[in-house]
Amino acid sequence: TGTIYGDFGIMYPDMTDLELMENLLTGHIPESIDRMLSLQGLSLARNELSGTIPNEIGNILTLKYLYLDNNNLVGLIPSSIAESNKSILEEIWFQNNNLSGTIPAKLSSLSNTLVSFFIDGNKFTGTIPYDLCRRSGSSSSSSGDEDYYSTATRLNANFYEALTIQE
């Protein structure tokens, strides 16, 4: 139990993996998280964290695994997690929070590296960016439909039915 100190990222800049899953943590994710320049895995899942996902999380260019699922996070998915063309994110788990708004189109730029993207159990509106469901360099048909549909089937049924796919 407890909170994550606001200067946590400054205190541990060389940490490569932070796994604080299921610790009944409360409070916010500190903005100083972006000072952890070697961080590859961040798991704060299954806690009682609140507030928004800090934009600064997009500054961690070494991040491969981001697990923030099953908390009380609110607000938008920060587009900063996809703004760097050097992003190597493979897994994003944001399911079962209170996130809202639309899914940033910029997340489509992660289609080369992103293997799993879980966002069910939130309050999203709008459309799922078409390119987010396609992996670049795949051997699917020229239209990309086969690859798109195989990826789209992994989306949560409730979430998928509430949104439309925009081509």
Side-chain angles (χ1 to χ4, degrees), residues 6 8 13 21 52 99 145 156:
F8 189 87
M21 191 172 136
T52 60
L99 299 172
D145 288 341
N156 176 277

Coordinates of all heavy atoms in Angstrom, one line a residue, residues 6 8 13 21 52 99 145 156:
G6 N 6.7 11.4 -5.9 CA 6.7 12.2 -7.1 C 8.1 12.3 -7.8 O 8.2 12.5 -9.0
F8 N 10.2 9.8 -7.9 CA 10.7 8.4 -8.1 C 11.6 8.2 -9.3 O 12.6 7.5 -9.2 CB 9.5 7.5 -8.2 CG 9.8 6.0 -8.1 CD1 9.9 5.4 -6.9 CD2 10.0 5.3 -9.3 CE1 10.2 4.0 -6.9 CE2 10.3 3.9 -9.2 CZ 10.4 3.3 -8.0
P13 N 17.1 6.6 -12.0 CA 17.1 6.8 -13.5 C 17.6 5.6 -14.3 O 17.3 5.6 -15.5 CB 18.1 8.0 -13.6 CG 19.0 7.9 -12.4 CD 18.1 7.3 -11.3
M21 N 3.0 -4.3 -9.5 CA 1.6 -4.9 -9.8 C 1.0 -5.4 -8.5 O 1.7 -5.9 -7.6 CB 1.8 -6.0 -10.8 CG 0.5 -6.6 -11.3 SD 1.0 -7.7 -12.6 CE -0.1 -9.0 -12.3
T52 N -4.5 11.0 -14.5 CA -4.3 10.7 -15.9 C -3.0 10.0 -16.1 O -2.1 10.0 -15.3 CB -4.3 12.0 -16.7 OG1 -3.3 12.9 -16.2 CG2 -5.7 12.7 -16.6
L99 N -10.6 5.4 -18.7 CA -10.1 6.3 -19.8 C -11.3 6.6 -20.8 O -12.2 5.8 -20.9 CB -9.0 5.6 -20.5 CG -7.8 5.2 -19.6 CD1 -6.8 4.3 -20.4 CD2 -7.1 6.5 -19.2
D145 N -6.7 -6.5 -45.8 CA -7.9 -6.9 -45.1 C -7.7 -8.1 -44.3 O -8.2 -8.2 -43.2 CB -9.0 -7.1 -46.1 CG -9.6 -5.8 -46.7 OD1 -9.3 -4.7 -46.0 OD2 -10.2 -5.8 -47.7
N156 N -11.6 -6.5 -27.8 CA -12.7 -7.0 -26.9 C -14.1 -6.7 -27.7 O -14.3 -5.7 -28.2 CB -12.7 -6.1 -25.7 CG -13.8 -6.4 -24.7 OD1 -14.9 -5.8 -24.9 ND2 -13.6 -7.3 -23.8

